[in-house]
Amino acid sequence: MSVDETSDEAASPLGEALAEFARHLGAERGLSPHTLRAYLGDLQDLSGYCATIGLTGPQELDVAVLRAWLARQHALGRSRATLARRTAAVRAFTGHLHRRGLIPDDPGVLLGTPKRGRDLPTVITQEQAGRLLDTVDATGPAGLRDLAVLELLYGTGIRVSELCGLDVDDLDTVRRTARVLGKGGKERTVPMGEPAARAVQDWLRAGRPALATEDSGPALFLGTRGGRLHPTSARRIVHDRIAEVGDVPDLAPHGLRHSAATHLLEGGADLRSVQEILGHASLQTTQLYTHVSAERLKQVHRQAHPRAAD
């Protein structure tokens, strides 16, 4: 919905106030078109709600009306993120009305802000990870590459962009470490297990030479035409190989990273070490995986404990 469309629909004092606020948002606050559309859509919904309960003027807006509208949004299944944005839009609107003298008090300041929920990442179990990696068809150059890609993503927890940026010399298969260039150009060394090191060695010995061309350069992983493997291709490899296994949830490469972090913590790794392995700038980001582990433990408890349902 555009500012002009909002202006055309102004057929009541509240509608006129909304149209004027739309012009204010577009001209004075410099919001992005996306945010402007979202705010105006939220407020148009509020205006429609007010019309259904017989309110036509901005002076009739009070905290009870606003809370009732937000409660209706919640009952309709709106997400926490949507509720938080709609609360922000209403606060901006009522604050503007108060500053313009159209309402004596600002009811928006009395609204609480819904906390944005953070979805827990989807992870696979350790058994599912083992089944995936143990059943990959590693015949031929592409098969050897795909197995090495999966083993490294899960075995090190690195990002798909980091994986595709690896050069041959970045891996030390003897010491079983990888030198990774992460976000912000920060370099870190991550450990990898024996299966990952073995898969990479097999790829380097019997797979990469078959795909390499004069233009391959030092890239560790190559596409079918010999160029550096692109993250899009790596994502397709993960999806396709998981689909071949069956009974394993479909994951993107980041899902294997989530799974690796969760399994490290489930195995007793300390949070700070996992932070270093993943390359997180903040420990708070890594703490998300402790909630994943707790959810998994609760699930096991619910399924196995005789009094879990009490």
Side-chain angles (χ1 to χ4, degrees):
M1 177 177 58
S2 68
V3 173
D4 292 337
E5 289 171 338
T6 305
S7 300
D8 293 341
E9 294 172 2
S12 67
L14 181 59
E16 292 174 0
L18 176 57
E20 194 278 327
F21 180 61
R23 291 190 290 272
H24 163 73
L25 287 179
E28 299 182 30
R29 293 192 58 172
L31 296 176
S32 70
H34 175 77
T35 302
L36 179 61
R37 285 194 301 270
Y39 269 32
L40 295 182
D42 294 340
L43 294 173
Q44 198 68 14
D45 191 283
L46 171 63
S47 179
Y49 172 77
C50 289
T52 62
I53 61 175
L55 302 184
T56 59
Q59 71 279 0
E60 298 176 86
L61 289 176
D62 58 27
V63 68
V65 171
L66 299 180
R67 284 174 175 166
W69 174 66
L70 289 171
R72 182 172 182 271
Q73 301 301 305
H74 183 269
L76 291 172
R78 303 292 186 249
S79 68
R80 289 185 181 181
T82 297
L83 291 174
R85 191 198 64 224
R86 294 198 163 184
T87 301
V90 167
R91 282 177 167 172
F93 182 45
T94 59
H96 175 74
L97 293 177
H98 180 58
R99 289 190 297 272
R100 291 291 306 276
L102 297 176
I103 55 176
D105 300 301
D106 180 5
V109 299
L110 300 176
L111 295 176
T113 302
K115 293 184 178 180
R116 291 185 178 231
R118 187 168 187 182
D119 294 334
L120 297 179
T122 300
V123 298
I124 56 179
T125 66
Q126 296 182 39
E127 186 274 333
Q128 288 171 330
R131 186 145 42 88
L132 167 64
L133 297 170
D134 291 340
T135 58
V136 171
D137 181 4
T139 56
L144 291 170
R145 178 202 60 196
D146 293 359
L147 178 58
V149 164
L150 292 169
E151 285 281 10
L152 267 184
L153 285 172
Y154 175 68
T156 63
I158 60 177
R159 303 175 178 92
V160 66
S161 59
E162 296 169 343
L163 174 114
C164 292
L166 288 172
D167 290 336
V168 173
D169 292 341
D170 289 330
L171 265 69
D172 187 334
T173 55
V174 176
R175 296 182 178 179
R176 301 210 301 251
T177 59
R179 185 173 64 245
V180 177
L181 190 64
K183 289 185 176 181
K186 294 182 179 179
E187 185 179 293
R188 70 185 189 280
T189 299
V190 297
M192 57 180 169
E194 175 60 31
R198 184 170 57 250
V200 171
Q201 287 176 326
D202 291 342
W203 156 247
L204 289 175
R205 175 182 51 80
R208 189 181 185 279
L211 296 181
T213 67
E214 294 181 355
D215 300 325
S216 296
L220 174 63
F221 290 112
L222 306 176
T224 55
R225 297 183 180 180
R228 183 182 293 273
L229 186 68
H230 192 274
T232 300
S233 298
R235 293 187 185 97
R236 185 168 57 250
I237 288 170
V238 173
H239 287 299
D240 290 348
R241 292 300 187 171
I242 288 178
E244 292 173 359
V245 178
D247 196 30
V248 175
D250 185 32
L251 294 178
H254 219 65
L256 291 179
R257 174 175 164 87
H258 292 322
S259 300
T262 302
H263 298 166
L264 280 169
L265 289 169
E266 289 177 345
D270 66 274
L271 201 60
R272 185 70 67 180
S273 297
V274 176
Q275 178 193 5
E276 292 294 327
I277 291 172
L278 297 180
H280 285 157
S282 169
L283 189 63
Q284 184 176 3
T285 306
T286 315
Q287 286 176 331
L288 171 66
Y289 298 105
T290 64
H291 302 307
V292 178
S293 296
E295 286 299 315
R296 293 274 286 276
L297 289 174
K298 286 193 288 186
Q299 182 180 358
V300 170
H301 182 268
R302 286 194 296 267
Q303 293 174 347
H305 198 283
R307 298 182 67 83
D310 291 347

